[in-house]
Amino acid sequence: MILSCRILEDVADVNHFRYASEVRFTEGDGADIFFQLIDSSQDRNDQGFNPSGRRYAPAAGATLQIVVDTLNDAKKVTRYATQPFANEPSIWKLTLLPTDAIRGTASLRLLLTEGVKVTRGSAIGVIAIDPQATIV
């Protein structure tokens, strides 16, 4: 398995959302980032799948640690994601706070723990944080 995720937008419930290539917001606003875990070794683009990757539903009780990775090593955010829908274990939510000091293009490093099984993955460049505009 190659663990990754798909960014989701306009999430209302497990049946109502859209896939997105990235989530974009302004620094200082904070954001709830919804995503679906996938096994990117399955259902690939070269096999005709769009979007690529097979939904991955981890075991009950799994935890997912996320590192929001930017080019500035001093401005990384590490946090646990939550499962917003009890009946859909593949969908997770990461909350970024207005005080999180990150900007620019960010990637997600994933650490999924299912009992004793630990799986690492990533999603490159899926977050875009625009700097605050300077008001003169």
Side-chain angles (χ1 to χ4, degrees), residues 1 3 37 56-59 62-65 92 110-114 117-121:
M1 176 172 80
L3 183 66
L37 291 181
Y56 182 74
T63 61
L64 182 62
Q65 183 183 36
W92 294 75
L110 314 169
L111 180 69
L112 178 65
T113 304
E114 300 173 90
K117 179 183 172 192
V118 175
T119 308
R120 289 174 172 76

Side-chain angles (χ1 to χ4, degrees), residues 8-124:
L8 306 176
E9 63 184 8
D10 300 329
V11 178
D13 56 43
V14 299
N15 293 314
H16 297 95
F17 59 81
R18 292 183 309 131
Y19 295 118
S21 58
E22 70 177 8
V23 62
R24 176 173 232 107
F25 61 96
T26 302
E27 176 187 22
D29 285 349
D32 284 332
I33 299 169
F34 290 86
F35 56 93
Q36 183 176 50
L37 291 181
I38 61 169
D39 177 354
S40 61
S41 69
Q42 302 293 315
D43 303 337
R44 299 183 321 263
N45 279 331
D46 64 341
Q47 296 170 323
F49 290 93
N50 186 22
S52 64
R54 183 174 297 166
R55 168 188 168 273
Y56 182 74
T63 61
L64 182 62
Q65 183 183 36
I66 305 289
V67 176
V68 180
D69 226 349
T70 65
L71 293 176
N72 185 342
D73 286 341
K75 296 187 177 189
K76 293 182 182 186
V77 173
T78 302
R79 195 160 285 136
Y80 281 90
T82 60
Q83 292 178 303
F85 307 112
N87 58 339
E88 177 46 83
S90 72
I91 295 178
W92 294 75
K93 179 176 83 169
L94 173 67
T95 299
L96 294 178
L97 306 174
T99 54
D100 289 334
I102 53 176
R103 78 163 61 155
T105 302
S107 299
L108 299 179
R109 282 192 288 142
L110 314 169
L111 180 69
L112 178 65
T113 304
E114 300 173 90
V116 297
K117 179 183 172 192
V118 175
T119 308
R120 289 174 172 76
S122 64
I124 308 298

